[in-house]
Amino acid sequence: MSSPSSKATTSKTYGERVASHSNQAAKDLLLTMERKKTNLCVSVDVTTKEELLKIVEAVGESCCCVKTHCDIISDFDQDLVDRLVALSKSLDFQIFEDRKFADIGNTVSLQYSSGVHRIASWSHLTNAHALPGDGIVTGLSTVGLPLSRGLLLLAEMSSAGSLATGAYTIETVQMARRHPEFVVGFIAQQRVERLAPPPSSGEEEDFLVLTPGVGLVSKGDKMGQQYRTPRQVVFESGCDVIIVGRGIYGGSGVEEWKSEADRYRVEGWKAYEERLLV
Ligand code: 5BU
C-alpha cells in the first residue's frame, strides 16, 4: 500500500490531509470534518439575527461549517458575533463569511478588519475574487494570517453564464500556489488544480474545494443558480465540502431544518466514502 502522502488528494481521508496544510483554519476544518463525519457546510442566508441563530442551533451538529453573508442581516451586532462564535465552539463547526472580496489590497484589508462587521475577528474562513491580482491576497493576509485565518479563492461559480472559466480559473489556481500560507483552497465546481499545469517545484499540494450549488430536489432557481447532488459534487467531481442553503433552511421549522441537514450530511459523507474506495 502506498503511503498517504503519495496518494491523490481525493483518495486520502480528510484526516490524512491535515498534515498537508500549514494554515490553522484549513487544519481545523479538516479535523472537524473527520471528527464529526460531515462534509456539509450550511449557508444561512436569512436577514435577521434571531432567525440565523435559530437555524444554526438546529443544523450545527450536522455540519463542519456555517457560511454567512453578514451584510444581509438587518440587525447585525456584536451580540450576534458573540453568540455565533459560542455556537461554533459548543456545536463544533467553523465559520465562513462568504464576503467575496474584490478590490485592491489596501481596501480589502480595511473591509476585512474594520467597519461594522470586523469579519476577520470572528470568521475562520473568507473568500475573494482573483480578479484584482495578487494584491488582494497580500492585503487580506496582512489581517488574516496573524489571526490564523484562511482564504478561499473563487475559481468558478455555480451560476449560469459565469465568466470564471478557462484561463481565468487556471490563473486563479496559479495565484493560490503563490500564497500557500494563506490561500487554503477554492470555491469551485470541480478539482480546479487539475486543470492547471502541475506546480513547477514538483511539490505536493493540497487544496480544499468548497462547492455551492448543491440540492437534492431542486435543479435551480429563477436567478441563475444551478444545483447538483452531493454525489455529483463529491464523488463525480472530487470536491471536498458541499455548501447547501435553501435546500436546508427552506424547510418550515426546527425539526425540518434538523432532518434536512442530517440528510445532506449523510449523502455528502456517503459520496466521500465511495470515492475513497476508487
Ligand atoms: P443556495 O440557497 O443553496 O442556492 O445558496 C447558495 C449559497 O452559496 C449562497 O449564499 C450564495 O451566495 C453562495 N454561492 C453560490 O451559490 N454560488 C457560487 O458560485 C458562490 C457562492 Br462563489
Side-chain angles (χ1 to χ4, degrees):
M1 208 174 124
S2 56
S3 69
S5 62
S6 67
K7 287 199 261 178
T9 306
T10 45
S11 306
K12 292 184 194 174
T13 66
Y14 295 129
E16 283 171 338
R17 291 170 59 188
V18 174
S20 310
H21 286 266
S22 60
N23 180 282
Q24 195 56 46
K27 282 181 188 287
D28 289 345
L29 183 64
L30 285 163
L31 285 167
T32 307
M33 292 162 78
E34 183 78 37
R35 187 166 55 238
K36 293 177 71 178
K37 296 201 181 331
T38 175
N39 51 19
L40 170 66
C41 170
V42 182
S43 178
V44 192
D45 300 337
V46 292
T47 56
T48 67
K49 178 166 121 176
E50 292 308 325
E51 256 181 303
L52 184 140
L53 291 167
K54 217 160 119 185
I55 295 168
V56 172
E57 269 171 29
V59 304
E61 255 176 39
S62 298
C63 64
C64 59
C65 186
V66 163
K67 185 174 85 60
T68 55
H69 280 298
C70 60
D71 58 352
I72 66 176
I73 303 165
S74 47
D75 51 354
F76 180 93
D77 60 7
Q78 188 59 38
D79 175 60
L80 168 58
V81 167
D82 294 344
R83 289 162 69 187
L84 182 60
V85 169
L87 284 172
S88 88
K89 289 181 181 144
S90 62
L91 298 177
D92 191 14
F93 60 80
Q94 307 294 299
I95 306 172
F96 165 25
E97 164 56 30
D98 188 2
R99 173 61 178 76
K100 300 187 181 73
F101 291 101
D103 213 322
I104 62 166
N106 183 60
T107 303
V108 296
S109 69
L110 297 168
Q111 290 172 322
Y112 190 26
S113 62
S114 310
V116 171
H117 299 116
R118 299 173 59 240
I119 292 164
S121 74
W122 51 270
S123 183
H124 305 99
L125 293 164
T126 191
N127 55 0
H129 289 285
L131 186 78
D134 286 70
I136 191 165
V137 180
T138 314
L140 292 169
S141 70
T142 58
V143 175
L145 265 185
L147 297 168
S148 303
R149 306 308 189 199
L151 183 70
L152 300 157
L153 288 179
L154 284 121
E156 291 178 324
M157 293 191 71
S158 61
S159 41
S162 163
L163 303 181
T165 61
Y168 182 89
T169 300
I170 291 171
E171 284 302 323
T172 304
V173 172
Q174 305 289 30
M175 186 182 289
R177 286 181 177 150
R178 292 191 288 274
H179 305 275
E181 322 75 35
F182 191 49
V183 178
V184 300
F186 305 101
I187 302 294
Q189 298 293 313
Q190 57 183 317
R191 292 227 66 94
V192 285
E193 72 273 33
R194 294 181 186 163
L195 303 175
S200 48
S201 64
E203 257 180 48
E204 277 199 47
E205 59 183 11
D206 187 303
F207 291 112
L208 299 169
V209 178
L210 280 68
T211 305
V214 179
L216 281 163
V217 180
S218 169
K219 291 278 163 269
D221 66 13
K222 291 184 181 144
M223 298 188 207
Q225 177 67 298
Q226 308 176 108
Y227 292 121
R228 294 184 299 155
T229 63
R231 190 174 189 278
Q232 286 173 305
V233 167
V234 176
F235 179 74
E236 293 176 21
S237 300
C239 306
D240 298 315
V241 173
I242 54 171
I243 300 177
V244 184
R246 285 165 287 180
I248 292 175
Y249 71 79
S252 59
V254 173
E255 288 315 311
E256 212 173 316
W257 299 331
K258 271 190 182 172
S259 63
E260 284 305 303
D262 205 54
R263 179 170 172 225
Y264 278 94
R265 182 191 70 76
V266 168
E267 290 296 319
W269 198 257
K270 208 165 67 185
Y272 158 73
E273 288 190 318
E274 196 178 345
R275 99 178 179 197
L276 288 178
L277 300 174
V278 176

